[in-house]
Amino acid sequence: MRSFLLLFFFGFLVTLNTAKGVHLELHGKTGISRSKLQRRTSISGLESTVEDDQNIQYMTNITLNGQLFGVLIDTGRKVNYSQAISDLFVTSQVPSAIDEHYQAEIGYASGGAAGEVFSATMGFAGYQIDAQYFIFANSTDGFTQSVDGLIGLGPYTGSVIRFIGGTAAADPPLDRIFRSNDTISNFVAILLDRSDDPDEPYPGDLAIGEVLTEYEDIQTQPQHPVTSVMVPGNQHWMTLLDENGIIGPDGKPITIKTQVTDTPYPNNATVVFDTGFTFPQVPSHVAEALYGNVPGASFTNIAGLGEIWALPCDQELNATFLFAGIKFPIHPLDLNFNMGDNQCVGAFQPFSYDDTEDGVVMYDMVLGMAFLRNAYLLIDFGSFVDGAPPGTNAPYIQLLPITNAVNASADFARVRLDNGSNVDDLASLASHSSTTTTTTTTTTTSNAKLPPWVIGIIFGVVISVLFLGICVYYCCRRRRLQRVSSTQATWVPYAPQSYRPLYDPSPQGAYDMHLAPNANPVHVPEYRSAWDAHY
């Protein structure tokens, strides 16, 4: 009876914890691990989900006069690697939008947009801004039909709409938000997810003026000053890499000398952080150090991509970037990118300095999506906000490493080598049993949280049942003792006893506290590449 009561109570606790989204955690891991069964939120909850289009582009939702648009997020550069992207454009008409009576054209590294400038009430990341200027782009190049537009997150100095409009009313969206309320901290925090990561079911996130609660440590990380450029209007979100700050697959630092014109830091590469660039751009000797010694690798030219290293898809690689002495391991799935049809490439692509502004080199690398999936990024605009008062702090960047190298290696094996599909430990089993797979590339978890009054009723019922069970148990025990006392034979010491032979099966109750063997191994969905939809 006591075993029954303990089992009943244990089962109730497990059921209640599962309903509340409580999960088991594996301890002993190093680095930072993202929560599997807890929705990411900021302190106020005012953030915007960032959806991943198979590791190629990242989108979020905005509204204009109440109409919903899914737009790309881009902290990067315009055409010819010059100006930063700061403006907003959409490809559909906005109801009741006001025509501002001028046109603007924006050229991007892989496309462009042009059209009439309008204004409308914008909703973005929990904030609402009246009369936000944007381009209704009736002409676009390089954008897919699944995208409704693009929102630039660069400094306002790169805004074409602001330059032509000539007034602060034409400021980019982030500047308008920062200037609308002095209590809003002038920073944006961005988290990019990985669509083929078996351990990461959640999408990315973008928050303005606050950070995700589980990544609050980013605000204690070193503040990397945003380096300034020599050419006005060409400012980017960029900072300095440590001297020889890339550790290659052989475990040795890669020698890097900056090519930036007239930089006071000749031994530090200047890097740009770009959420709109799929493949990070690095000097050719860096790409060769990463991929040149891989068995079966070849340097080739692929239509639509240009020169790039082709790799065997099952080749796991490791690399680490260093900023202020802090290590940022790169996930093997981000170093070796699957294009489909068993064709993989080195995601860190070599590039040259042919496209420069009047021969001026402004940076050495563009660290795009394949890097940023391994770091939580915070950009403090500081004095780069239009109209910032004197004494405003200089802009800076903070980075928090979020990739665990050991776990990343296991992920690569599961995705590319089809290993590790059986989960042996209780924590992993509990975690996966609470997860529902909705697509072959992205896993979504549903956490059903019971209202407090329901939990109270359940708890009361269980206590009542336990109390009733105890009463019944003791009543039955008293009656049994009375019957035994009246009929029990005289006790004989050392009388022969009956034992169950070792080879006899155990009674059913002996298995009650054992977990069933792996009757239902965890299903690992078939891996789909980021380029499947393009063939």
Side-chain angles (χ1 to χ4, degrees):
M1 182 66 182
R2 279 173 290 185
S3 297
F4 167 77
L5 293 175
L6 288 173
L7 285 172
F8 184 87
F9 188 62
F10 177 80
F12 163 73
L13 288 179
V14 171
T15 302
L16 183 60
N17 285 343
T18 301
K20 292 171 63 179
V22 176
H23 65 283
L24 299 173
E25 289 184 329
L26 292 177
H27 297 282
K29 295 181 179 179
T30 59
I32 296 175
S33 177
R34 302 181 191 173
S35 173
K36 305 301 185 297
L37 297 179
Q38 181 178 355
R39 182 179 181 272
R40 300 186 179 110
T41 57
S42 58
I43 294 175
S44 70
L46 295 178
E47 72 271 344
S48 181
T49 297
V50 175
E51 297 293 342
D52 175 7
D53 184 5
Q54 301 189 61
N55 296 334
I56 294 176
Q57 55 191 14
Y58 290 84
M59 296 171 288
T60 194
N61 288 331
I62 67 168
T63 60
L64 292 171
N65 284 352
Q67 182 172 330
L68 186 67
F69 293 88
V71 296
L72 299 176
I73 60 170
D74 201 333
T75 61
R77 317 98 30 257
K78 296 193 183 83
V79 70
N80 295 331
Y81 302 93
S82 55
Q83 289 177 295
I85 297 174
S86 308
D87 291 313
L88 167 66
F89 81 82
V90 295
T91 57
S92 300
Q93 287 186 323
V94 176
S96 303
I98 298 175
D99 191 343
E100 298 299 333
H101 303 292
Y102 68 93
Q103 293 190 340
E105 181 177 359
I106 308 170
Y108 300 101
S110 59
E116 190 76 9
V117 175
F118 289 83
S119 63
T121 299
M122 179 191 68
F124 178 41
Y127 296 94
Q128 180 172 302
I129 297 296
D130 295 331
Q132 174 62 53
Y133 283 39
F134 65 93
I135 298 173
F136 166 41
N138 49 20
S139 173
T140 60
D141 179 37
F143 294 92
T144 64
Q145 293 182 350
S146 62
V147 175
D148 299 328
L150 180 147
I151 185 166
L153 306 177
Y156 82 94
T157 53
S159 170
V160 175
I161 295 176
R162 172 68 171 86
F163 177 76
I164 299 176
T167 172
D171 273 341
L174 285 180
D175 285 69
R176 293 291 311 283
I177 291 174
F178 294 146
R179 299 185 67 177
S180 68
N181 191 329
D182 292 339
T183 65
I184 301 174
S185 298
N186 295 351
F187 70 80
V188 59
I190 302 171
L191 178 72
L192 302 186
D193 71 307
R194 185 178 300 105
S195 66
D196 52 351
D197 193 330
D199 284 339
E200 295 300 330
Y202 288 105
D205 187 272
L206 185 151
I208 299 173
E210 54 188 23
V211 300
L212 295 172
T213 53
E214 55 265 54
Y215 296 135
E216 288 179 325
D217 285 347
I218 192 172
Q219 295 182 300
T220 65
Q221 300 303 298
Q223 296 180 0
H224 307 282
V226 173
T227 56
S228 299
V229 297
M230 299 175 59
V231 181
N234 291 348
Q235 183 65 55
H236 306 84
W237 298 128
M238 56 192 187
T239 192
L240 299 176
L241 186 69
D242 285 3
E243 183 175 350
N244 299 330
I246 302 177
I247 308 300
D250 59 359
K252 299 179 181 179
I254 299 174
T255 301
I256 304 172
K257 295 295 182 182
T258 184
Q259 301 296 314
V260 173
T261 304
D262 295 334
T263 177
Y265 307 99
N267 295 323
N268 297 87
T270 297
V271 300
V272 174
F273 298 106
D274 187 349
T275 61
F277 221 106
T278 302
F279 294 140
Q281 305 292 288
V282 297
S284 57
H285 77 279
V286 173
E288 184 174 2
L290 292 174
Y291 304 117
N293 294 324
V294 174
S298 62
F299 190 59
T300 185
N301 194 308
I302 299 178
L305 290 181
E307 293 184 335
I308 200 165
W309 284 91
L311 305 173
C313 290
D314 60 354
Q315 181 63 55
E316 179 181 350
L317 297 171
N318 299 294
T320 300
F321 284 67
L322 288 90
F323 290 92
I326 297 176
K327 296 180 179 180
F328 291 79
I330 306 301
H331 201 295
L333 292 173
D334 294 323
L335 284 166
N336 188 340
F337 192 90
N338 193 339
M339 296 176 58
D341 296 329
N342 202 33
Q343 183 180 21
C344 294
V345 298
F348 288 73
Q349 184 178 19
F351 85 116
S352 66
Y353 301 97
D354 295 337
D355 295 321
T356 60
E357 187 78 19
D358 299 326
V360 177
V361 177
M362 291 177 286
Y363 50 83
D364 298 287
M365 305 180 195
V366 179
L367 296 185
M369 304 174 193
F371 172 83
L372 292 173
R373 284 190 287 269
N374 301 276
Y376 189 34
L377 171 68
L378 186 153
I379 301 172
D380 191 299
F381 283 53
S383 58
F384 279 7
V385 175
D386 190 12
T392 303
N393 65 277
Y396 61 84
I397 294 169
Q398 290 177 292
L399 298 164
L400 182 71
I402 58 176
T403 295
N404 181 304
V406 175
N407 296 343
S409 178
D411 292 342
F412 184 87
R414 293 175 65 183
V415 172
R416 298 287 177 86
L417 307 180
D418 197 25
N419 290 335
S421 59
N422 292 325
V423 181
D424 298 324
D425 57 83
L426 177 62
S428 295
L429 185 61
S431 175
H432 283 283
S433 67
S434 301
T435 303
T436 302
T437 301
T438 57
T439 68
T440 58
T441 58
T442 304
T443 306
T444 303
T445 300
S446 176
N447 297 330
K449 186 174 182 179
L450 294 177
W453 64 270
V454 175
I455 297 174
I457 292 176
I458 294 175
F459 186 75
V461 170
V462 170
I463 293 298
S464 301
V465 171
L466 288 176
F467 181 76
L468 180 61
I470 292 172
C471 293
V472 172
Y473 167 70
Y474 279 105
C475 289
C476 294
R477 184 172 183 271
R478 175 177 294 182
R479 293 181 180 179
R480 179 176 175 274
L481 290 175
Q482 290 174 350
R483 291 197 303 269
V484 170
S485 61
S486 61
T487 59
Q488 187 175 25
T490 305
W491 176 72
V492 180
Y494 306 108
Q497 305 293 314
S498 175
Y499 292 91
R500 178 181 61 80
L502 293 175
Y503 53 81
D504 278 359
S506 299
Q508 184 61 35
Y511 293 98
D512 287 346
M513 292 298 290
H514 290 266
L515 293 176
N518 294 330
N520 296 310
V522 175
H523 172 67
V524 178
E526 180 183 357
Y527 174 70
R528 290 183 60 209
S529 79
W531 290 85
D532 286 348
H534 296 265
Y535 291 103

